[in-house]
Amino acid sequence: MNSLVPVLHPSQVTTIDVTQLHHDSHTRSVVVKTIHDACQKMGIFQVKNHGVSKEVTENALGSLSKFFDLPMDQKTIFLSDDVNKPVRFGTFPIDNLDRVSREFIKIYAYPIDDWIGSWPHNPMDFRENLGKYAIEVRRLSLEIMEAIVESLGLPPTNLRSSLEKGMHMIVGNKYPQCSPSSNILGLASHTDHTIITILLESMSGLEIMDSNDNNAWKSVPATGSTLKVLIGNRLEVLGNGLYKSVFHRVTSNAQMSRVSIGSCLSFPMEEMVEPAMELVDEEHPKRYRASSLEEYIKFLSSKADESYIESLKI
């Protein structure tokens, strides 16, 4: 499958130097405009000089890999179909085959002191290394989300309190080695119900749907120490459709397994989110109804066929 999918050149994916958000007001405004264009055009960008050290990212991926390498009976302690569980392990089997296309573990990560005690303690460095990464990526996410809010033309301090108190869930994934010619996806196409998702990956595998090219699938290469930022449904609602959540999927690799960490960031669980009033007028009527993350989780439990973002459209 990968061989049939065009690979985006690194220059086609906007790269933001996070340190420039702290320069003079002119430099910041240029960066914010670049973020606006990237969110509107592709729904994804990547960040460099983000302050999350190579040691922290490598240790987080390493501990996660060691967790997935544990015997299955040590991982299924956390096995659950309950989407409300703050720590949840699961697998996606391949039909008629004694293999899986993905293993995952989802862990609540904020406030970290409330949840870290319930995280896996095997491997022994799991809590320490994933905890350090969670703290660092959350700090980064608040910087990025504040710039994104500003890029929508909203006051940069708008929603700061909600963002600071917001939901943070870490999703660790392992995609076992599998030939792309088998046409088996590691993760089917979807959008994230987040404000943003920050992605750390051990190797390439992410593909996005490019709405600027007849909805063609494009492979997004992993590049150096950058982290990818994916626009989610909550931001699409807040922006009244100005930014679109990005459809994405994951393909398997024929040579080795792939490990990734998605940091899913949103508003507090019970907080209702709707289009910002500054972005609604006669020419741009309200396009989405208000909803909460709590409502979304109930929707997931209902196993409805319709996508949640579609259910919100007016």
Side-chain angles (χ1 to χ4, degrees):
M1 183 177 294
N2 273 353
S3 61
L4 302 177
V5 174
V7 177
L8 286 170
H9 189 274
S11 64
Q12 293 177 278
V13 182
T14 298
T15 301
I16 300 297
D17 184 339
V18 176
T19 60
Q20 292 188 339
L21 289 171
H22 305 288
H23 286 189
D24 58 90
S25 59
H26 172 71
T27 301
R28 180 180 174 89
S29 66
V30 171
V31 175
V32 168
K33 175 62 166 60
T34 303
I35 289 174
H36 170 89
D37 293 343
C39 292
Q40 194 168 42
K41 183 179 179 182
M42 298 191 74
I44 184 174
F45 58 92
Q46 56 192 14
V47 291
K48 67 178 183 179
N49 297 328
H50 43 67
V52 185
S53 72
K54 183 177 181 181
E55 179 183 12
V56 168
T57 57
E58 288 184 346
N59 287 346
L61 287 172
S63 292
L64 188 62
S65 295
K66 287 188 285 186
F67 171 80
F68 285 125
D69 288 342
L70 293 172
M72 187 59 74
D73 63 348
Q74 294 186 39
K75 294 179 286 190
T76 52
I77 297 169
F78 303 100
L79 186 67
S80 177
D81 291 327
D82 183 356
V83 295
N84 292 288
K85 286 279 189 180
V87 179
R88 184 164 70 94
F89 172 77
T91 64
F92 283 84
I94 299 173
D95 291 343
N96 302 318
L97 296 173
D98 187 25
R99 291 184 295 157
V100 297
S101 62
R102 176 172 74 111
E103 293 183 24
F104 69 84
I105 184 164
K106 299 183 177 183
I107 52 178
Y108 285 10
Y110 184 79
I112 194 164
D113 290 341
D114 290 355
W115 302 114
I116 197 168
S118 61
W119 292 7
H121 56 78
N122 189 12
M124 292 181 62
D125 56 11
F126 185 95
R127 294 179 181 177
E128 178 182 1
N129 289 339
L130 270 294
K132 286 180 179 178
Y133 178 73
I135 291 169
E136 287 298 302
V137 81
R138 182 174 177 80
R139 172 199 53 75
L140 171 65
S141 73
L142 293 174
E143 288 186 73
I144 294 172
M145 290 194 291
E146 186 170 293
I148 288 174
V149 168
E150 187 177 347
S151 79
L152 283 168
L154 304 173
T157 55
N158 198 28
L159 304 173
R160 177 178 290 170
S161 177
S162 293
L163 294 172
E164 289 175 348
K165 298 174 184 176
M167 182 72 179
H168 181 193
M169 182 170 68
I170 296 286
V171 182
N173 299 291
K174 178 182 179 180
Y175 303 93
Q177 175 184 345
C178 183
S179 172
S181 63
S182 65
N183 291 328
I184 295 171
L185 285 171
L187 184 60
S189 61
H190 67 288
T191 58
D192 293 341
H193 196 67
T194 58
I195 301 174
I196 58 171
T197 300
I198 297 180
L199 179 66
L200 167 66
E201 52 190 346
S202 64
M203 61 186 303
S204 300
L206 175 70
E207 294 180 358
I208 64 167
M209 182 182 287
D210 187 353
S211 59
N212 304 294
D213 188 13
N214 297 314
N215 290 335
W217 285 102
K218 304 284 183 71
S219 177
V220 186
T223 53
S225 60
T226 60
L227 297 171
K228 294 182 175 65
V229 180
L230 284 69
I231 302 308
N233 294 338
R234 307 285 282 172
L235 185 58
E236 179 175 331
V237 170
L238 179 67
N240 200 31
L242 185 62
Y243 298 161
K244 297 291 187 185
S245 48
V246 60
F247 269 96
H248 57 286
R249 67 186 186 186
V250 175
T251 55
S252 301
N253 187 281
Q255 281 74 45
M256 62 186 71
S257 60
R258 174 180 180 269
V259 177
S260 70
I261 303 175
S263 297
C264 304
L265 299 131
S266 194
F267 295 112
M269 185 75 72
E270 69 287 347
E271 184 164 327
M272 301 298 285
V273 177
E274 61 184 338
M277 62 180 185
E278 294 92 338
L279 302 176
V280 176
D281 54 32
E282 289 186 4
E283 291 185 14
H284 306 91
K286 184 177 178 181
R287 299 179 59 188
Y288 306 85
R289 65 176 179 83
S291 67
S292 67
L293 195 55
E294 192 172 45
E295 181 184 309
Y296 168 67
I297 290 176
K298 290 178 181 177
F299 181 89
L300 282 182
S301 301
S302 71
K303 301 186 184 300
D305 292 331
E306 183 183 25
S307 72
Y308 188 63
I309 189 67
E310 289 298 322
S311 75
L312 299 179
K313 290 182 179 179
I314 297 174

